Amino acid sequence: MSITTYRITDGRQVRAVRAMLGMTQAELGQAAGVHRMSINNAEKRQRLPPRSWAAEQVAKYGAENGIVADVVDGVPVVRVQSPAA
């Protein structure tokens, strides 16, 4: 199983990260350093363009807070990061 971590390729991942953090679009946007409308637009898209800056910022913020966006065997997923052993 191949895993690429900290990568958001799908708007549903953005929504899942936000939901797992318990934040509104505005709160996540402010915390991640992007405009609320960027979060809104990303959540509406099934496939995000490669190198979506807003998605990268959300992935980074999520990872810093224990929520990791991955692509596992070509499938976009979001999971809670297990603490280091």
Side-chain angles (χ1 to χ4, degrees):
M1 169 167 62
S2 79
I3 297 177
T4 304
T5 57
Y6 314 121
R7 190 168 140 216
I8 291 181
T9 61
D10 188 302
R12 292 171 292 190
Q13 286 173 291
V14 175
R15 185 181 304 259
V17 167
R18 181 172 64 81
M20 292 172 84
L21 291 170
M23 301 175 99
T24 65
Q25 289 178 346
E27 290 168 338
L28 179 58
Q30 183 174 17
V34 299
H35 195 276
R36 178 196 66 81
M37 284 305 297
S38 296
I39 301 296
N40 180 277
N41 290 336
E43 287 185 3
K44 289 179 183 177
R45 299 184 72 160
Q46 187 168 1
R47 300 273 302 152
L48 294 173
R51 305 217 184 268
S52 166
W53 185 78
E56 288 176 8
Q57 293 303 105
V58 169
K60 181 180 172 187
Y61 181 78
E64 290 168 355
N65 290 280
I67 307 299
V68 180
D70 296 335
V71 177
V72 178
D73 293 332
V75 178
V77 298
V78 176
R79 63 181 168 80
V80 175
Q81 184 171 327
S82 7

